[in-house]
Amino acid sequence: MGLPRGPFFWLLLLIAAACSGILFALYLSAGERYPGPRSRARNSASSQAFIGPKASNSGTRKSLRCRHPLSLDIRRHPHFRGLFNLSTPVLLSWPLFTQELWDSLSQHKAPYGWQGLSRQAITSTLRLLNGSESTELFTGSREPRPHCIRCAVVGNGGILNGSRQGRNIDAHDYVFRLNGAVIKGFEDDVGTKTSFYGFTVNTMKNSLISYWTLGFTSVPQGQDLHYIFIPSDIRDYVMLRSAILGVRVPEGPDKGDRPWTYFGPEASASKFKLLHPDFISYLTERFLKSKLINTTFGDLYMPSTGALMLLTALHTCDQVSAYGFITRNYWKFSDHYFERIKKPLIFYANHDLSLEAALWRDLHKAGILWLYQR
Ligand SMILES: *[C@@H]1O[C@H](CO)[C@@H](O)[C@H](O)[C@H]1NC(C)=O
Ligand SMILES: *[C@@H]1O[C@H](CO)[C@@H](O)[C@H](O)[C@H]1NC(C)=O
Ligand SMILES: *[C@@H]1O[C@H](CO)[C@@H](O)[C@H](O)[C@H]1NC(C)=O
Ligand SMILES: *[C@@H]1O[C@H](CO)[C@@H](O)[C@H](O)[C@H]1NC(C)=O
């Protein structure tokens, strides 16, 4: 007797379910300033990290409408309070280039210093970074600007293979990627949005060579995408200058390179950002001071590109989620998410991945970032 009513009943149930789904999405987004499709895509795990009972308003940075700005957790944390200095300039631009800076940086060797580097090459590059878009990470095109800046930083760790985190990643206001960030074929796992791509010329070119056959055949490009140059060598300054001017690289190991083959046809200073060498030193000194510094590999040691991007996000965004970063159970996963056959993660002497793993774990525990784990 229920039979004739069957299909109709199920249809009603479906509509009711759909409505409650929409209502639930609205409920979730009610507190956000700009509810949009991203609110619906949030997964409960990542929401949980940020929707806490704590009252928000830190009042300091651009986080007026943020329910749970990371600056608040930093200030409350006995250890991290003393490490973070959110006033440290993150980017280097022409207005910050003073005689004093030159004098201090030329006393330190690369990767963080300018000792032995051509002043002319550095000056001619920095001179091009004189607009407001060179002093801040978040500028320009995005209107209205979110009051609570939510960022996802996507490392390339094997943990992302089969993770189906793509929608959650794309739901953030800004997405940072780095090095061999393969997207095609992995959209469900890593998303498609890229706001920032971070690299050194060395790591970018190595990624193109090493991961070409695994699908990394070009650096991410797009209108809303900005490049974050990590200075580790004079090459980075020379490439950056050539990229802004839209000319072939005139000298050095990359001589003859056409920057537009990496970064697309749009050549303008607003497309490119340069991390401040003092910011990298500060990060290394405070967060990633490895014992390797005192070994024969000391001169090679540098935080990984992923670590630099994640810490950059932590110094510029109000909320940060980290995907594809090293976790305690890293041995369960391949080195990179785009590998077809499992390849173990190797700890080379130029990075200290154990130290980085401990840092992400501690920052996650402190509620300062949310680390994707499984
Ligand atoms: C934080 O950094 C700013 C800018 O470099 C500096 O002026 C200030 O003294 C630093 N604060 C602390 C507590 O180290
Ligand atoms: C940089 O911008 C400032 C202010 O707009 C201007 O006064 C200065 O001449 C510019 N410097 C260069 C090297 O273009
Ligand atoms: C490296 O050695 C110096 C002097 O021996 C010491 O002061 C410093 O703390 C050491 N650094 C690390 C990271 O172990
Ligand atoms: C990653 O995922 C792909 C497709 O799901 C699969 O074919 C491949 O074997 C996986 N790689 C590893 C290392 O597990």
Short mmCIF file of all heavy atoms in Angstrom, two decimals, residues 79-80 82-85 88 108 111-112 276-291 293-294 298 301-304 307-308 311 315 355-356 359:
data_model
loop_
_atom_site.label_atom_id
_atom_site.label_comp_id
_atom_site.label_asym_id
_atom_site.label_seq_id
_atom_site.Cartn_x
_atom_site.Cartn_y
_atom_site.Cartn_z
N HIS A 79 55.47 29.30 24.21
CA HIS A 79 56.70 29.12 23.43
C HIS A 79 56.67 29.96 22.14
O HIS A 79 57.57 30.75 21.88
CB HIS A 79 56.88 27.64 23.12
CG HIS A 79 58.01 27.35 22.19
ND1 HIS A 79 59.32 27.67 22.48
CD2 HIS A 79 58.03 26.77 20.95
CE1 HIS A 79 60.10 27.29 21.48
NE2 HIS A 79 59.35 26.75 20.54
N PHE A 80 55.62 29.80 21.36
CA PHE A 80 55.57 30.46 20.05
C PHE A 80 55.45 31.98 20.14
O PHE A 80 55.85 32.69 19.23
CB PHE A 80 54.46 29.85 19.18
CG PHE A 80 54.83 28.49 18.66
CD1 PHE A 80 54.07 27.37 18.98
CD2 PHE A 80 55.94 28.34 17.86
CE1 PHE A 80 54.43 26.12 18.52
CE2 PHE A 80 56.31 27.08 17.39
CZ PHE A 80 55.55 25.97 17.71
N GLY A 82 57.21 33.87 21.82
CA GLY A 82 58.57 34.42 21.78
C GLY A 82 59.28 34.23 20.45
O GLY A 82 60.33 34.80 20.22
N LEU A 83 58.74 33.38 19.59
CA LEU A 83 59.39 33.12 18.30
C LEU A 83 58.85 34.02 17.19
O LEU A 83 59.59 34.57 16.39
CB LEU A 83 59.20 31.66 17.88
CG LEU A 83 59.86 30.58 18.72
CD1 LEU A 83 59.76 29.23 18.01
CD2 LEU A 83 61.33 30.89 18.97
N PHE A 84 57.54 34.13 17.12
CA PHE A 84 56.92 34.90 16.03
C PHE A 84 57.13 36.39 16.24
O PHE A 84 56.92 36.91 17.33
CB PHE A 84 55.41 34.64 15.99
CG PHE A 84 55.03 33.40 15.23
CD1 PHE A 84 54.91 32.19 15.88
CD2 PHE A 84 54.76 33.46 13.86
CE1 PHE A 84 54.54 31.04 15.18
CE2 PHE A 84 54.38 32.32 13.17
CZ PHE A 84 54.28 31.11 13.82
N ASN A 85 57.50 37.07 15.17
CA ASN A 85 57.44 38.53 15.15
C ASN A 85 56.69 38.89 13.87
O ASN A 85 57.27 38.91 12.78
CB ASN A 85 58.85 39.14 15.16
CG ASN A 85 58.78 40.64 15.14
OD1 ASN A 85 57.72 41.23 14.93
ND2 ASN A 85 59.92 41.29 15.35
N THR A 88 57.95 41.50 11.23
CA THR A 88 59.11 41.31 10.36
C THR A 88 58.70 41.48 8.90
O THR A 88 57.74 40.84 8.48
CB THR A 88 59.67 39.88 10.56
OG1 THR A 88 59.91 39.69 11.94
CG2 THR A 88 60.95 39.68 9.79
N HIS A 108 77.07 38.48 5.03
CA HIS A 108 76.66 37.08 5.13
C HIS A 108 76.70 36.41 3.77
O HIS A 108 76.35 37.02 2.77
CB HIS A 108 75.25 36.98 5.70
CG HIS A 108 75.11 37.62 7.04
ND1 HIS A 108 75.57 37.01 8.19
CD2 HIS A 108 74.61 38.81 7.41
CE1 HIS A 108 75.34 37.81 9.22
NE2 HIS A 108 74.75 38.91 8.77
N PRO A 111 72.95 31.28 1.32
CA PRO A 111 71.69 31.69 0.68
C PRO A 111 70.99 32.91 1.30
O PRO A 111 70.09 33.41 0.67
CB PRO A 111 70.82 30.44 0.85
CG PRO A 111 71.33 29.76 2.05
CD PRO A 111 72.78 30.04 2.08
N TYR A 112 71.42 33.37 2.49
CA TYR A 112 70.64 34.48 3.05
C TYR A 112 71.32 35.82 2.88
O TYR A 112 70.73 36.85 3.15
CB TYR A 112 70.38 34.26 4.54
CG TYR A 112 70.04 32.84 4.88
CD1 TYR A 112 70.81 32.09 5.74
CD2 TYR A 112 68.94 32.25 4.28
CE1 TYR A 112 70.50 30.78 6.02
CE2 TYR A 112 68.63 30.95 4.56
CZ TYR A 112 69.41 30.21 5.42
OH TYR A 112 69.11 28.93 5.69
N HIS A 276 62.23 38.51 1.52
CA HIS A 276 63.33 39.29 2.09
C HIS A 276 64.38 38.33 2.66
O HIS A 276 64.02 37.45 3.44
CB HIS A 276 62.78 40.18 3.21
CG HIS A 276 63.66 41.32 3.57
ND1 HIS A 276 64.98 41.14 3.90
CD2 HIS A 276 63.44 42.65 3.63
CE1 HIS A 276 65.52 42.32 4.17
NE2 HIS A 276 64.61 43.26 4.01
N PRO A 277 65.65 38.49 2.28
CA PRO A 277 66.68 37.59 2.83
C PRO A 277 66.70 37.60 4.36
O PRO A 277 66.94 36.56 4.98
CB PRO A 277 67.99 38.14 2.27
CG PRO A 277 67.61 38.93 1.07
CD PRO A 277 66.22 39.46 1.31
N ASP A 278 66.43 38.74 4.95
CA ASP A 278 66.39 38.81 6.42
C ASP A 278 65.21 38.02 6.99
O ASP A 278 65.28 37.51 8.11
CB ASP A 278 66.28 40.26 6.91
CG ASP A 278 67.62 40.98 6.87
OD1 ASP A 278 68.66 40.29 6.78
OD2 ASP A 278 67.62 42.22 6.92
N PHE A 279 64.14 37.93 6.23
CA PHE A 279 62.99 37.12 6.66
C PHE A 279 63.40 35.64 6.68
O PHE A 279 63.10 34.92 7.63
CB PHE A 279 61.80 37.36 5.73
CG PHE A 279 60.57 36.55 6.07
CD1 PHE A 279 59.94 36.69 7.29
CD2 PHE A 279 60.04 35.66 5.14
CE1 PHE A 279 58.80 35.95 7.61
CE2 PHE A 279 58.90 34.92 5.43
CZ PHE A 279 58.29 35.06 6.67
N ILE A 280 64.12 35.21 5.65
CA ILE A 280 64.57 33.81 5.60
C ILE A 280 65.53 33.52 6.75
O ILE A 280 65.44 32.47 7.40
CB ILE A 280 65.23 33.49 4.23
CG1 ILE A 280 64.27 33.84 3.09
CG2 ILE A 280 65.62 32.02 4.16
CD1 ILE A 280 64.86 33.65 1.71
N SER A 281 66.41 34.46 7.04
CA SER A 281 67.33 34.28 8.17
C SER A 281 66.57 34.20 9.49
O SER A 281 66.86 33.36 10.34
CB SER A 281 68.32 35.44 8.28
OG SER A 281 69.05 35.57 7.11
N TYR A 282 65.63 35.10 9.63
CA TYR A 282 64.80 35.11 10.84
C TYR A 282 64.07 33.77 11.01
O TYR A 282 64.04 33.18 12.10
CB TYR A 282 63.83 36.30 10.76
CG TYR A 282 62.47 36.13 11.41
CD1 TYR A 282 62.28 36.40 12.77
CD2 TYR A 282 61.38 35.73 10.65
CE1 TYR A 282 61.02 36.27 13.34
CE2 TYR A 282 60.13 35.60 11.22
CZ TYR A 282 59.94 35.86 12.56
OH TYR A 282 58.70 35.72 13.12
N LEU A 283 63.49 33.26 9.92
CA LEU A 283 62.78 31.97 9.99
C LEU A 283 63.74 30.85 10.38
O LEU A 283 63.41 29.99 11.21
CB LEU A 283 62.13 31.64 8.65
CG LEU A 283 61.01 32.55 8.15
CD1 LEU A 283 60.50 32.07 6.81
CD2 LEU A 283 59.87 32.63 9.16
N THR A 284 64.90 30.86 9.77
CA THR A 284 65.87 29.80 10.02
C THR A 284 66.35 29.86 11.47
O THR A 284 66.40 28.85 12.17
CB THR A 284 67.07 29.96 9.07
OG1 THR A 284 66.57 30.08 7.74
CG2 THR A 284 67.99 28.77 9.14
N GLU A 285 66.66 31.06 11.89
CA GLU A 285 67.18 31.28 13.23
C GLU A 285 66.16 30.92 14.32
O GLU A 285 66.47 30.25 15.30
CB GLU A 285 67.55 32.77 13.32
CG GLU A 285 68.30 33.21 14.53
CD GLU A 285 69.67 32.57 14.62
OE1 GLU A 285 70.26 32.22 13.57
OE2 GLU A 285 70.12 32.38 15.75
N ARG A 286 64.90 31.32 14.11
CA ARG A 286 63.90 31.14 15.17
C ARG A 286 63.17 29.81 15.10
O ARG A 286 62.83 29.24 16.12
CB ARG A 286 62.84 32.24 15.07
CG ARG A 286 63.40 33.63 15.15
CD ARG A 286 63.05 34.28 16.49
NE ARG A 286 63.47 35.64 16.52
CZ ARG A 286 62.66 36.68 16.78
NH1 ARG A 286 61.37 36.47 17.00
NH2 ARG A 286 63.13 37.89 16.81
N PHE A 287 62.87 29.36 13.87
CA PHE A 287 61.98 28.20 13.74
C PHE A 287 62.70 26.93 13.30
O PHE A 287 62.27 25.84 13.61
CB PHE A 287 60.85 28.49 12.74
CG PHE A 287 59.96 29.61 13.16
CD1 PHE A 287 60.21 30.92 12.76
CD2 PHE A 287 58.85 29.36 13.97
CE1 PHE A 287 59.38 31.96 13.15
CE2 PHE A 287 58.02 30.39 14.35
CZ PHE A 287 58.28 31.69 13.96
N LEU A 288 63.75 27.09 12.50
CA LEU A 288 64.36 25.90 11.91
C LEU A 288 65.87 25.90 12.06
O LEU A 288 66.63 25.67 11.12
CB LEU A 288 63.95 25.80 10.42
CG LEU A 288 62.46 25.50 10.21
CD1 LEU A 288 62.03 25.78 8.78
CD2 LEU A 288 62.13 24.06 10.59
N LYS A 289 66.29 26.17 13.28
CA LYS A 289 67.71 26.21 13.57
C LYS A 289 68.23 24.79 13.71
O LYS A 289 68.19 24.19 14.78
CB LYS A 289 67.92 27.01 14.85
CG LYS A 289 69.36 27.38 15.06
CD LYS A 289 69.48 28.42 16.14
CE LYS A 289 70.94 28.80 16.30
NZ LYS A 289 71.08 30.10 16.93
N SER A 290 68.72 24.26 12.63
CA SER A 290 69.08 22.86 12.59
C SER A 290 70.49 22.61 13.09
O SER A 290 71.38 23.43 12.92
CB SER A 290 68.96 22.37 11.15
OG SER A 290 69.48 21.08 11.04
N LYS A 291 70.68 21.43 13.65
CA LYS A 291 72.03 21.01 14.05
C LYS A 291 72.93 20.86 12.83
O LYS A 291 74.15 20.88 12.93
CB LYS A 291 71.95 19.69 14.81
CG LYS A 291 71.33 19.83 16.18
CD LYS A 291 71.61 18.59 17.03
CE LYS A 291 71.08 18.77 18.44
NZ LYS A 291 69.58 18.89 18.45
N ILE A 293 73.52 22.92 10.69
CA ILE A 293 74.26 24.16 10.44
C ILE A 293 75.71 24.01 10.90
O ILE A 293 76.62 24.55 10.30
CB ILE A 293 73.57 25.34 11.18
CG1 ILE A 293 72.22 25.63 10.53
CG2 ILE A 293 74.44 26.59 11.18
CD1 ILE A 293 71.35 26.60 11.31
N ASN A 294 75.92 23.22 11.94
CA ASN A 294 77.27 23.05 12.48
C ASN A 294 78.00 21.83 11.91
O ASN A 294 79.01 21.42 12.45
CB ASN A 294 77.21 22.95 14.01
CG ASN A 294 77.11 24.33 14.63
OD1 ASN A 294 77.35 25.34 13.98
ND2 ASN A 294 76.76 24.36 15.90
N GLY A 298 76.82 22.54 6.60
CA GLY A 298 76.25 23.79 7.09
C GLY A 298 75.94 24.81 6.02
O GLY A 298 74.89 25.45 6.04
N TYR A 301 72.75 24.03 4.11
CA TYR A 301 71.48 23.94 4.81
C TYR A 301 70.57 25.13 4.56
O TYR A 301 70.98 26.28 4.61
CB TYR A 301 71.69 23.79 6.33
CG TYR A 301 70.37 23.85 7.07
CD1 TYR A 301 69.48 22.78 6.99
CD2 TYR A 301 69.98 24.99 7.75
CE1 TYR A 301 68.25 22.85 7.60
CE2 TYR A 301 68.75 25.07 8.37
CZ TYR A 301 67.89 23.99 8.29
OH TYR A 301 66.65 24.06 8.88
N MET A 302 69.33 24.83 4.31
CA MET A 302 68.31 25.85 4.12
C MET A 302 66.98 25.17 4.41
O MET A 302 66.82 24.00 4.12
CB MET A 302 68.37 26.29 2.66
CG MET A 302 67.62 27.57 2.38
SD MET A 302 67.98 28.15 0.70
CE MET A 302 66.75 29.40 0.57
N PRO A 303 66.04 25.91 5.00
CA PRO A 303 64.71 25.31 5.15
C PRO A 303 64.19 24.90 3.76
O PRO A 303 64.57 25.52 2.76
CB PRO A 303 63.87 26.45 5.73
CG PRO A 303 64.84 27.37 6.36
CD PRO A 303 66.09 27.28 5.55
N SER A 304 63.35 23.88 3.70
CA SER A 304 62.82 23.45 2.40
C SER A 304 61.92 24.55 1.83
O SER A 304 61.44 25.42 2.56
CB SER A 304 62.01 22.16 2.57
OG SER A 304 60.82 22.44 3.30
N ALA A 307 58.69 24.61 3.59
CA ALA A 307 58.75 25.24 4.91
C ALA A 307 58.73 26.76 4.76
O ALA A 307 58.02 27.46 5.50
CB ALA A 307 60.02 24.80 5.64
N LEU A 308 59.47 27.28 3.79
CA LEU A 308 59.49 28.73 3.60
C LEU A 308 58.12 29.25 3.19
O LEU A 308 57.68 30.31 3.65
CB LEU A 308 60.56 29.12 2.57
CG LEU A 308 62.01 28.90 3.02
CD1 LEU A 308 62.99 29.22 1.90
CD2 LEU A 308 62.33 29.76 4.25
N LEU A 311 55.72 29.05 6.29
CA LEU A 311 56.01 30.09 7.26
C LEU A 311 55.68 31.48 6.71
O LEU A 311 55.28 32.38 7.46
CB LEU A 311 57.48 30.01 7.71
CG LEU A 311 57.75 28.81 8.66
CD1 LEU A 311 59.23 28.46 8.72
CD2 LEU A 311 57.22 29.10 10.07
N HIS A 315 52.91 34.17 8.37
CA HIS A 315 53.23 35.57 8.69
C HIS A 315 52.38 36.56 7.90
O HIS A 315 52.59 37.76 8.01
CB HIS A 315 54.72 35.84 8.45
CG HIS A 315 55.59 35.28 9.55
ND1 HIS A 315 55.88 33.94 9.67
CD2 HIS A 315 56.22 35.89 10.59
CE1 HIS A 315 56.66 33.75 10.72
NE2 HIS A 315 56.87 34.91 11.30
N LEU A 355 63.15 18.10 11.77
CA LEU A 355 62.89 19.34 12.50
C LEU A 355 61.62 20.01 11.97
O LEU A 355 60.79 20.49 12.75
CB LEU A 355 64.10 20.27 12.32
CG LEU A 355 64.14 21.53 13.15
CD1 LEU A 355 64.19 21.20 14.63
CD2 LEU A 355 65.37 22.38 12.78
N GLU A 356 61.45 20.01 10.65
CA GLU A 356 60.25 20.60 10.06
C GLU A 356 59.01 19.84 10.51
O GLU A 356 58.00 20.45 10.88
CB GLU A 356 60.37 20.64 8.53
CG GLU A 356 61.48 21.60 8.06
CD GLU A 356 61.58 21.77 6.55
OE1 GLU A 356 60.71 21.25 5.81
OE2 GLU A 356 62.52 22.45 6.10
N LEU A 359 58.07 20.81 13.91
CA LEU A 359 57.52 22.18 13.95
C LEU A 359 56.06 22.19 13.52
O LEU A 359 55.21 22.80 14.17
CB LEU A 359 58.37 23.10 13.05
CG LEU A 359 57.89 24.55 12.95
CD1 LEU A 359 57.92 25.25 14.30
CD2 LEU A 359 58.75 25.33 11.93
#
